[in-house]
Amino acid sequence: MDYTVQKLASLAGVSTRTLRYYDEVGILKPARINSSGYRIYGQQEVDRLQQILFYRELGLSLDHIKAIVTDPNFDGNKALKEHRQQLIEKRKQLDRLIANVEKTIAASEGRINMSNKEKFEGFKKRLIEDNEKKYGKEVREKYGDEKVDQSNAKLMNMTQEQYEEVTALAEQVTQTLAEAFKTGNPAGELAQKAADLHRKWLTYYWKEYSKEAHAGLAQMYVDDERFTAYYDKEQPGTAEFLRDAILIYTGQKQ
Amino acid sequence: MDYTVQKLASLAGVSTRTLRYYDEVGILKPARINSSGYRIYGQQEVDRLQQILFYRELGLSLDHIKAIVTDPNFDGNKALKEHRQQLIEKRKQLDRLIANVEKTIAASEGRINMSNKEKFEGFKKRLIEDNEKKYGKEVREKYGDEKVDQSNAKLMNMTQEQYEEVTALAEQVTQTLAEAFKTGNPAGELAQKAADLHRKWLTYYWKEYSKEAHAGLAQMYVDDERFTAYYDKEQPGTAEFLRDAILIYTGQKQ
DNA sequence: AATACACCTTTACGCAACGTCAAAGTCAAC
DNA sequence: GTTGACTTTGACGTTGCGTAAAGGTGTATT
């Protein structure tokens, strides 16, 4: 049985390039070359190619395979055992690599959290700065530096969870206040609920709560146009309504 | 801080060739090139190299690393997760490879066993051939073709273990017989033990045992000079002694 | 006999990430 | 001015082929 490159290639399921390469590196030379320079393979070469491909599937290098198939005295079994050892080493290396990658991913996700945290820290800082810029001077004047610093410090010490809570609380205050405003009664249930929420909200910023300070802040919402503008932006009169509600809540007013 | 290639290389623990290569592929370009054409790296480049080497240790390709370190919007975490998946695939592949190699080694060692088996088969065949050549005709004449064929067939069906047993048994027969011969008494304990061992040995070859056939074989040991020569090779008279012992054992003689 | 088409040949670049010369220029010190 | 350490670019080698390109061969059909 004579085979040309392509015949042998399709028989063995490899490319003709592979056969030419195997010829080039001397691992499988054709039985003979015909008058036109064509490579002609015989049965022996078929068998040998099978052997080569078998070892190739096991991941041995062509150099090793060459040694095995060309030298009949070569201990193929020993070579296989060495190869196995190498593969096992490789797997160990791979395991270490995977472990490192996993660690990095974990750390990276930690880093993402951290970057979120940093973002959060940034938010808080900006919040304080804004507050300071907007109301700082007046508030400081009215309630003293210590109280304001305490408030800021308390804010800075909030966890992200607390920060989310206080943000949600602020939202609740706004909504409850808007509904209460519709009733027109600052002594009513809704208005008092809004006042209570406002107190709760306040405790996130103030180290200690007092009815007097709460009432004072309420009055400031009306006195300071910036506060007024903030609370009145949906419904004019809301700031005044909130002050009344708080004054009632704190017992300053009937 | 300015670094030339070698300074940066030794700082980072890579070769200068690596730095030049990184420049060539655009993954790490020097901060500037001085008037002599020397690459000059700055702090930024040091940091970036650290990053590159970090990802390199995790086994990412330079292409991937390039994408990660050059594009700040690139999702490095996603790349790492994909990389991890690839590594896991690779490990699976390796596992399969190792399993195949192990199987091959096992089969190869099985092949050694098989070649032992083949050798063993060869031994048995030769044993039968020898027997046939040496004693076949007479035995066949005396006991009939069927019995001999049965004996041979039985021998061929022996496992290697059985073969070893029968060989050991033959050795015991010879030794016990030699000791019994010294007593000079074919009716004695040792001689009868030898006769019994001989029977046991015989059952490995004969499909069925009969005292008559046993006695007949014993007589043949004396009649046929080839048998006689075999048993008498250590001590002349042993074949005759064995016959007497067997005849007593089988009850043909007192 | 011309043509088409499948097949064959050699030559050679490309791949990944550098290692390893080689030839030639630069810098600092003696 | 010379040495020695350093730099540059250029180019080949590594593994196992894939993928052209350019050109010759075999065979069947027209």
Side-chain angles (χ1 to χ4, degrees):
Chain A
M1 258 305 156
D2 281 359
Y3 302 89
T4 58
V5 267
Q6 197 157 69
K7 279 186 189 161
L8 180 54
S10 61
L11 178 72
V14 299
S15 72
T16 60
R17 176 70 177 96
T18 299
L19 292 182
R20 277 190 269 270
Y21 181 67
Y22 286 176
D23 182 6
E24 185 187 332
V25 297
I27 188 171
L28 179 68
K29 294 207 166 287
R32 60 191 176 83
I33 305 274
N34 77 2
S35 57
S36 309
Y38 287 19
R39 291 171 178 81
I40 307 296
Y41 298 88
Q43 188 55 45
Q44 275 191 33
E45 285 71 33
V46 176
D47 295 346
R48 184 151 168 178
L49 181 55
Q50 300 256 342
Q51 232 192 115
I52 293 170
L53 296 181
F54 172 72
Y55 284 114
R56 191 180 69 164
E57 287 229 332
L58 296 183
L60 277 92
S61 73
L62 287 191
D63 253 17
H64 280 85
I65 295 175
K66 189 175 175 180
I68 293 174
V69 299
T70 57
D71 182 0
N73 292 350
F74 193 88
D75 191 344
N77 215 36
K78 197 178 150 204
L80 274 183
K81 283 184 179 172
E82 283 170 11
H83 182 54
R84 173 180 57 180
Q85 207 44 49
Q86 283 177 16
L87 290 180
I88 287 170
E89 280 305 314
K90 228 175 175 176
R91 186 173 55 182
K92 269 189 203 163
Q93 174 69 24
L94 209 54
D95 281 341
R96 278 194 292 267
L97 217 57
I98 290 171
N100 276 338
V101 170
E102 306 231 334
K103 234 165 58 186
T104 304
I105 289 172
S108 159
E109 279 170 352
R111 225 184 296 153
I112 283 172
N113 283 345
M114 221 156 62
S115 92
N116 265 349
K117 253 186 207 162
E118 279 163 16
K119 254 186 219 166
F120 172 66
E121 293 287 336
F123 280 151
K124 286 197 296 189
K125 258 184 196 154
R126 252 173 294 153
L127 188 61
I128 292 169
E129 277 168 24
D130 280 13
N131 279 344
E132 285 279 326
K133 236 184 246 167
K134 277 185 193 161
Y135 323 115
K137 218 166 84 185
E138 289 84 26
V139 175
R140 278 177 188 276
E141 275 167 9
K142 276 213 166 150
Y143 301 98
D145 285 355
E146 203 183 343
K147 211 155 211 163
V148 175
D149 287 347
Q150 276 179 3
S151 166
N152 286 345
K154 203 177 176 194
L155 178 60
M156 283 305 286
N157 283 329
M158 268 196 261
T159 65
Q160 184 162 10
E161 209 175 345
Q162 288 175 317
Y163 178 78
E164 278 159 10
E165 278 169 22
V166 79
T167 309
L169 204 50
E171 181 65 19
Q172 276 186 56
V173 170
T174 312
Q175 283 190 1
T176 310
L177 184 60
E179 282 184 47
F181 185 74
K182 284 179 202 158
T183 68
N185 182 14
E189 205 185 335
L190 267 174
Q192 288 308 300
K193 193 186 170 194
D196 186 52
L197 286 168
H198 186 261
R199 178 193 55 82
K200 275 188 186 159
W201 171 77
L202 201 56
T203 58
Y204 276 91
Y205 297 98
W206 284 3
K207 216 167 182 182
E208 48 190 89
Y209 175 80
S210 76
K211 287 181 175 179
E212 294 70 33
H214 195 184
L217 185 66
Q219 184 57 43
M220 200 176 74
Y221 283 171
V222 176
D223 295 343
D224 192 304
E225 57 183 358
R226 287 162 311 183
F227 283 106
T228 312
Y230 173 76
Y231 284 104
D232 283 4
K233 71 173 182 287
E234 299 298 329
Q235 290 291 328
T238 304
E240 206 167 332
F241 182 83
L242 176 61
R243 178 206 59 183
D244 290 345
I246 289 173
L247 288 179
I248 292 165
Y249 179 81
T250 57
Q252 315 290 108
K253 195 180 171 185
Q254 218 62 26
Chain B
M1 256 307 155
D2 281 0
Y3 303 89
T4 59
V5 265
Q6 196 157 70
K7 278 185 190 161
L8 179 53
S10 60
L11 178 72
V14 299
S15 73
T16 60
R17 176 69 176 98
T18 298
L19 292 182
R20 277 189 270 271
Y21 181 67
Y22 287 176
D23 182 6
E24 186 187 332
V25 298
I27 188 173
L28 179 69
K29 294 205 166 286
R32 60 192 176 83
I33 305 274
N34 77 3
S35 57
S36 310
Y38 286 20
R39 291 171 178 81
I40 307 295
Y41 298 88
Q43 189 54 44
Q44 274 191 34
E45 285 71 34
V46 176
D47 295 346
R48 184 150 169 179
L49 180 55
Q50 299 257 342
Q51 231 192 116
I52 292 170
L53 297 181
F54 172 73
Y55 284 114
R56 191 180 70 164
E57 287 227 335
L58 297 182
L60 278 92
S61 73
L62 287 191
D63 254 18
H64 280 86
I65 296 176
K66 188 175 175 181
I68 293 173
V69 299
T70 57
D71 182 1
N73 292 349
F74 192 87
D75 190 345
N77 213 38
K78 197 178 150 204
L80 273 183
K81 283 183 178 173
E82 283 170 11
H83 182 54
R84 175 181 55 182
Q85 207 44 49
Q86 284 177 16
L87 290 180
I88 286 169
E89 281 304 314
K90 224 174 176 178
R91 186 175 53 185
K92 271 189 200 161
Q93 175 68 24
L94 248 184
D95 282 342
R96 280 194 291 268
L97 215 59
I98 291 172
N100 277 336
V101 170
E102 305 232 337
K103 234 163 62 187
T104 304
I105 290 172
S108 160
E109 280 170 353
R111 224 184 295 153
I112 286 172
N113 283 345
M114 220 157 64
S115 91
N116 266 349
K117 253 188 207 161
E118 278 163 17
K119 255 186 220 164
F120 171 65
E121 293 288 337
F123 278 152
K124 284 198 297 190
K125 259 187 195 149
R126 253 173 294 152
L127 187 61
I128 292 169
E129 277 169 23
D130 280 13
N131 279 345
E132 285 279 326
K133 236 185 245 165
K134 277 185 191 161
Y135 323 117
K137 219 166 82 185
E138 289 85 26
V139 174
R140 277 178 189 278
E141 276 166 10
K142 276 212 166 149
Y143 301 98
D145 285 355
E146 202 183 343
K147 209 155 208 162
V148 175
D149 287 346
Q150 277 178 3
S151 166
N152 285 346
K154 203 177 174 194
L155 179 58
M156 282 305 284
N157 283 330
M158 269 196 262
T159 65
Q160 184 162 11
E161 209 175 343
Q162 286 174 318
Y163 178 80
E164 279 158 10
E165 278 170 22
V166 79
T167 308
L169 205 48
E171 181 64 20
Q172 275 184 59
V173 171
T174 311
Q175 283 191 2
T176 310
L177 185 60
E179 282 184 47
F181 184 74
K182 284 180 203 158
T183 68
N185 181 13
E189 203 185 336
L190 267 175
Q192 288 308 299
K193 193 186 168 192
D196 188 51
L197 286 168
H198 186 260
R199 179 192 55 82
K200 274 186 186 160
W201 172 76
L202 199 56
T203 57
Y204 277 92
Y205 297 99
W206 284 3
K207 217 168 183 183
E208 48 191 87
Y209 175 79
S210 76
K211 287 182 176 178
E212 292 72 31
H214 194 184
L217 185 67
Q219 184 59 44
M220 200 175 76
Y221 284 171
V222 176
D223 295 342
D224 192 304
E225 57 184 2
R226 288 164 308 183
F227 283 104
T228 311
Y230 173 76
Y231 283 103
D232 282 6
K233 68 176 184 288
E234 300 297 330
Q235 291 290 328
T238 304
E240 203 166 333
F241 181 82
L242 177 60
R243 179 205 58 183
D244 289 344
I246 289 173
L247 288 179
I248 292 165
Y249 180 80
T250 57
Q252 314 291 108
K253 195 178 171 184
Q254 218 62 23

